[in-house]
DNA sequence: CCCATAGTTCGGAATTTCGGTACTAATGGT
DNA sequence: ACCATTAGTACCGAAATTCCGAACTATGGG
């Protein structure tokens, strides 16, 4: 379910984050520290994303090694594997997050941590 | 044909480089400074990539704002837009190139320039 | 002009993604 | 224990994307 960090491939990370919806989900996980899948729906701007799509987006992020998901009662807690990814591919995640932030004019300073 | 750098979107860059073949092409352009499409075929490891596929790979890289292509007689000279991309999304390209280098064990030091 | 070489375009097959419906898992109330 | 409710996943057909062979276009040399 969760790949070992040694098995994580850069192309999987790039592919996962090349989708704006997934990038937004990941950014949100970084900001809030922890997000359950369903509540992310309404919060992702105007677009309504069906549950099944959301579920597969989380799956892609999980299998790319970007997040870790664990059940907590009836809901799912997703948190980023920032430190692990950072150790394996230094600077990759900050650069990507900053690129998205620069694009959307979301003047968010320089990303350096989760 | 070549987008203005202001129109370049991070998702396009991530998508373009999330394909290992395109990433290899781009890395090769960075190393050699300049590459024509057809000769890249044989040089990209063992795999034989048809001309038509190569052509569309170059198109994706071009439209992502990563490379600039210009005819020089009968052949095509492709060179990277590294500095422009670097100005728009600082650190993004080095991080991606390093990630691929780290994965393939191609101990290539820290990427900092074209 | 004709040929050779370098790339693009086109079109159909294979693959991937999207999303609705049906299903499973866990919890709380009664 | 049972049912209702809520969270998420599995499955499957539709839509979109990618792949690549064949036909086409462009440029330069003889």
């Amino acid at each position: 379910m969760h790949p070992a960090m040694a098995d994580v491939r850069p192309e999987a990370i790039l592919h996962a984050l090349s989708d704006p919806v997934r990038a937004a989900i990941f950014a949100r996980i970084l900001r809030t520290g922890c997000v359950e899948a369903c509540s992310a729906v309404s919060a992702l701007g105007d677009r309504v994303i069906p549950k099944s799509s959301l579920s597969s987006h989380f799956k892609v992020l999980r299998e790319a090694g970007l997040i870790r998901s664990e059940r907590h009662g009836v809901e799912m807690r997703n948190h980023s594997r920032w430190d692990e990814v950072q150790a394996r591919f230094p600077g990759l995640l900050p650069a990507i997050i900053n690129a998205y932030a620069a694009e959307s004019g979301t003047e968010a300073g320089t990303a350096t941590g989760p």
Side-chain angles (χ1 to χ4, degrees), chain A:
Chain A
M1 194 127 193
H2 295 103
M5 198 45 62
D7 296 333
V8 171
R9 304 252 159 257
E11 56 261 42
I13 292 181
L14 296 186
H15 171 251
L17 295 180
S18 72
D19 181 305
V21 171
R22 284 193 293 265
I25 292 175
F26 186 65
R28 168 176 259 278
I29 290 176
L30 291 181
R31 280 200 310 278
T32 68
C34 181
V35 154
E36 71 278 20
C38 262
S39 72
V41 181
S42 54
L44 235 45
D46 40 2
R47 201 136 109 57
V48 175
I49 298 150
K51 273 204 311 181
S52 57
S53 302
L54 218 22
S55 180
S56 45
H57 281 317
F58 275 94
K59 187 179 181 187
V60 171
L61 290 170
R62 206 158 42 226
E63 294 182 342
L66 287 169
I67 65 175
R68 196 179 290 280
S69 312
E70 38 188 72
R71 275 202 103 95
H72 237 257
V74 75
E75 68 190 30
M76 202 66 111
R77 302 270 175 88
N78 298 284
H79 54 88
S80 94
R81 300 177 68 181
W82 180 280
D83 291 341
E84 294 174 83
V85 179
Q86 181 74 353
R88 177 142 170 71
F89 302 121
L92 182 60
L93 293 184
I96 294 174
I97 296 299
N98 279 334
Y100 271 110
E103 179 216 23
S104 57
T106 309
E107 193 53 61
T110 301
T112 53

